[in-house]
Amino acid sequence: MEKILVLDFGGQYNQLIARRVREQKIYAEIRAWNRISLEEIQEAKYIGIIFTGGPNSVYEEGAPAFDPEILNLGVPILGICYGDQLLSHLAGGLVSSAGDAGEYGSTALYTSDHPLFANVPEQSVCFMSHRDQVARIPEGFQVIAHTDHCKTAAIADDRRWLYGLQFHPEVSHTEYGRQMLKNFLYGICGAAGDWQPENYVQEMIEQYRKELAGKKVLLALSGGVDSSVAALLLHQAIGENLVAVFVDHGLLRKGEADLVERTFRDSFGLNLIRVNAAPRFHSRLAGIVDPEKKRKIIGEVFIRVFEEEARKLGKIDYLAQGTIYPDIIESGRGDSAVIKSHHNVGGLPERMAFSGIVEPLRDLFKDEVRKVGEILGLPKALVYRQPFPGPGLGVRIIGKITGNKVRILQEADAIFREEIDKAQLPENPNQYFAVLTNTKAVGVKGDARSYGYTVALRAVSTDDFMTAEWTRLPYELLARASSRITNEIPEIARVVYDISSKPPATVEFE
Ligand code: XMP
């Protein structure tokens, strides 16, 4: 399989670069600059290398760099932003601060006739974000694009297949960025475009069928996209030998636990064990107010219940997890490897005896996982399920949790989600839900004074959940949701809409 190396120098768009490459049907892998050697790069036979952006200056002490021999491998290289400056620096050019002429944001770009700019007009818009720039291009290079403030917006050494872009082709603000990446990948690296999640699915199924023959594999199914897709994939490979344990902690959304059971046991015929552990979770959570304590308890009880089920099953060979690629990418920012384990099963492998862990989705980005889910026939409601926190409604009930409060919140949340779905918005919020606040308020229902809970509705639009805007939902939609919630749920007297963005607020209330 042809592969592109995305050599990570710590920039913020590195995952986006890899996703853009994969969109072009070429497999891309991200490696941190300080965790891969020249020899490994040579052995891996990449068809092209992309140097990413990064926050440093090439002359700073300890700034990310690489063995200059990488330029002589005969593998095409595209440097982006810091990657462009580093490429120039390694090739003997001069990088300097652009001073006040640093550029941030959309800028007019003037390109010349060059294969990197095939099907790109002479003038277009690019996205710049830099302080430094290439002041003197290295020998053998030529300038192939400029902006009003940057004379060296794109440079090329066609003889050695080295290219540098000061701007960011991977972000959507660069009008023809996709085309430029395509030109690099197909026109310059000579890619054939053989990467498709469809092929991956078949390959993985075949591989696991052989590797896991006769082995018993246990998977914690949460109903989330990742564990669901991992479950279906493994089920196709090893059938009955995959045992999926679904712990219903009684903090899921309305109807969700039944949907999971129906989908996986009835439609797909999975060997599924549903554990109705709601009473156990609720009793452990009784009286607890502190959100971090709630999270801790939910995590602990989850592990306990899961372990007990596993023990009943006898010998299990492997534990399967829905880890995806962004969970395992090592950052090029110089920090130690950041490896997240699946939230819900964190801590399990150490406590239980398995011969190993199976992670069928570890090479895939979220959008690819969804595609695989569709290929495997997972219902759309699960494929496009919005993110839902492991501790579930436990962190959306402010204050003490009771079974009654869970039911009230489930109803309100279901109405809000239903109204959003019915509204068929041009674009749905990325996450939307109801929260049961701890505030009671006076209202009037019929002729009588009522006293009931205040429910908060929350909807956010975001790319990565690190920052988020509150979604400007149409007033009519909010009005319908509010009126239905107060009419249909007697315990609720008041509905408010949360208009805080992140930061300073977070997505969840707790
Ligand atoms: P915050 O509230 O931190 O949420 O802005 C960002 C995203 O993370 C989800 N979230 C969690 N997911 N366990 C999870 O699995 C948790 O404890 C948790 N807390 C927040 C939240 O739903 C949002 O998508």
Side-chain angles (χ1 to χ4, degrees):
M1 182 172 65
E2 52 186 25
K3 281 189 300 191
I4 289 282
L5 169 64
V6 176
L7 197 53
D8 179 2
F9 292 103
Q12 53 178 327
Y13 300 123
N14 303 342
Q15 291 197 21
L16 186 58
I17 296 173
R19 276 171 46 207
R20 290 276 180 262
V21 173
R22 290 196 189 184
E23 271 171 26
Q24 303 280 352
K25 299 195 177 356
I26 300 146
Y27 186 76
E29 61 187 24
I30 304 176
R31 299 292 298 270
W33 63 276
N34 51 356
R35 295 208 179 84
I36 187 167
S37 65
L38 189 68
E39 290 71 39
E40 279 178 85
I41 292 179
Q42 244 168 329
E43 272 164 32
K45 300 211 176 346
Y46 294 105
I47 62 162
I49 300 172
I50 298 180
F51 286 7
T52 76
N56 300 74
S57 254
V58 289
Y59 295 112
E60 269 169 31
E61 204 176 317
F66 210 81
D67 185 339
E69 271 308 304
I70 192 170
L71 307 187
N72 300 323
L73 293 180
V75 180
I77 298 178
L78 177 70
I80 297 175
C81 197
Y82 180 81
D84 162 57
Q85 295 155 16
L86 182 68
L87 179 72
S88 303
H89 178 58
L90 296 179
L94 186 74
V95 175
S96 69
S97 164
D100 293 341
E103 287 174 294
Y104 303 92
S106 297
T107 309
L109 176 76
Y110 310 96
T111 53
S112 54
D113 188 18
H114 187 273
L116 196 57
F117 299 129
N119 298 315
V120 176
E122 270 173 48
Q123 186 178 340
S124 63
V125 172
C126 72
F127 183 80
M128 284 280 193
S129 175
H130 69 111
R131 238 177 333 138
D132 291 358
Q133 63 181 27
V134 178
R136 194 188 67 227
I137 63 172
E139 220 180 287
F141 278 72
Q142 54 166 329
V143 171
I144 55 172
H146 67 278
T147 67
D148 291 332
H149 292 289
C150 180
K151 302 259 168 303
T152 55
I155 57 172
D157 177 350
D158 291 311
R159 212 174 26 93
R160 289 200 287 170
W161 294 330
L162 305 177
Y163 307 89
L165 302 176
Q166 180 54 71
F167 54 91
H168 290 272
E170 70 278 20
V171 305
S172 53
H173 307 281
T174 298
E175 270 181 302
Y176 290 88
R178 275 198 167 88
Q179 182 64 45
M180 294 173 197
L181 286 173
K182 187 173 177 184
N183 293 339
F184 174 69
L185 298 166
Y186 285 90
I188 292 166
C189 302
D194 62 3
W195 164 251
Q196 282 187 59
E198 286 88 332
N199 306 348
Y200 179 88
V201 173
Q202 277 320 315
E203 267 172 40
M204 291 310 275
I205 291 174
E206 293 305 323
Q207 185 192 326
Y208 284 129
R209 200 167 277 156
K210 282 189 213 126
E211 278 179 23
L212 300 174
K215 305 283 185 206
K216 244 192 166 153
V217 180
L218 179 67
L219 174 131
L221 184 69
S222 71
V225 187
D226 304 341
S227 67
S228 297
V229 174
L232 288 189
L233 202 149
L234 288 170
H235 175 65
Q236 292 220 354
I238 59 168
E240 282 284 294
N241 278 342
L242 172 75
V243 185
V245 172
F246 169 50
V247 177
D248 178 4
H249 53 23
L251 297 162
L252 291 170
R253 290 171 292 191
K254 187 181 174 185
E256 200 158 41
D258 294 338
L259 173 69
V260 169
E261 182 172 0
R262 260 200 326 272
T263 305
F264 291 95
R265 183 181 296 138
D266 304 343
S267 309
F268 288 104
L270 247 79
N271 190 354
L272 177 83
I273 297 172
R274 172 176 172 175
V275 191
N276 293 317
R280 190 156 159 189
F281 278 87
H282 289 178
S283 82
R284 278 292 309 278
L285 287 165
I288 305 293
V289 171
D290 176 49
E292 284 316 304
K293 268 200 193 129
K294 287 182 187 173
R295 279 194 169 80
K296 199 154 169 268
I297 291 173
I298 295 168
E300 274 171 16
V301 178
F302 182 92
I303 290 177
R304 197 80 29 83
V305 172
F306 189 77
E307 276 175 344
E308 285 169 16
E309 287 307 314
R311 214 162 293 130
K312 285 186 210 159
L313 293 169
K315 184 170 161 17
I316 297 283
D317 301 290
Y318 290 93
L319 179 73
Q321 290 189 319
T323 319
I324 68 171
Y325 195 46
D327 297 336
I328 59 160
I329 298 174
E330 295 171 323
S331 152
R333 286 184 193 220
D335 46 1
S336 59
V338 182
I339 300 179
K340 278 195 290 178
S341 54
H342 190 286
H343 169 79
N344 284 334
V345 289
L348 274 178
E350 294 91 57
R351 294 170 55 134
M352 297 171 73
F354 296 111
S355 344
I357 307 265
V358 181
E359 296 175 316
L361 311 177
R362 59 179 290 125
D363 294 328
L364 301 182
F365 283 109
K366 195 82 174 188
D367 49 335
E368 295 171 324
V369 172
R370 292 193 208 278
K371 219 171 274 166
V372 171
E374 284 192 79
I375 294 166
L376 295 171
L378 192 67
K380 279 208 162 15
L382 289 173
V383 172
Y384 293 101
R385 181 184 191 257
Q386 52 168 308
F388 185 67
L393 303 183
V395 290
R396 292 181 182 168
I397 293 172
I398 317 299
K400 294 177 192 163
I401 298 170
T402 65
N404 199 33
K405 284 184 181 173
V406 171
R407 184 190 53 76
I408 295 169
L409 179 57
Q410 279 177 333
E411 295 298 333
D413 183 70
I415 292 173
F416 184 42
R417 287 188 292 123
E418 206 179 296
E419 286 302 327
I420 288 197
D421 292 345
K422 271 203 294 205
Q424 301 209 329
L425 302 170
E427 205 168 334
N428 262 6
N430 299 93
Q431 202 171 355
Y432 47 102
F433 51 89
V435 174
L436 192 65
T437 76
N438 211 10
T439 301
K440 283 199 157 186
V442 176
V444 51
K445 284 190 180 175
D447 286 332
R449 179 180 181 281
S450 73
Y451 188 62
Y453 287 107
T454 303
V455 153
L457 303 181
R458 177 96 168 120
V460 294
S461 303
T462 172
D463 284 331
D464 55 8
F465 295 91
M466 306 289 279
T467 62
E469 274 283 311
W470 62 275
T471 308
R472 273 57 166 179
L473 289 177
Y475 282 165
E476 296 70 30
L477 162 57
L478 289 169
R480 270 194 309 277
S482 164
S483 122
R484 275 193 61 197
I485 288 171
T486 42
N487 283 332
E488 295 174 28
I489 310 169
E491 294 89 344
I492 296 178
R494 212 167 268 246
V495 179
V496 297
Y497 187 52
D498 183 355
I499 52 168
S500 348
S501 290
K502 173 182 179 177
T506 51
V507 174
E508 303 289 347
F509 270 39
E510 286 203 326

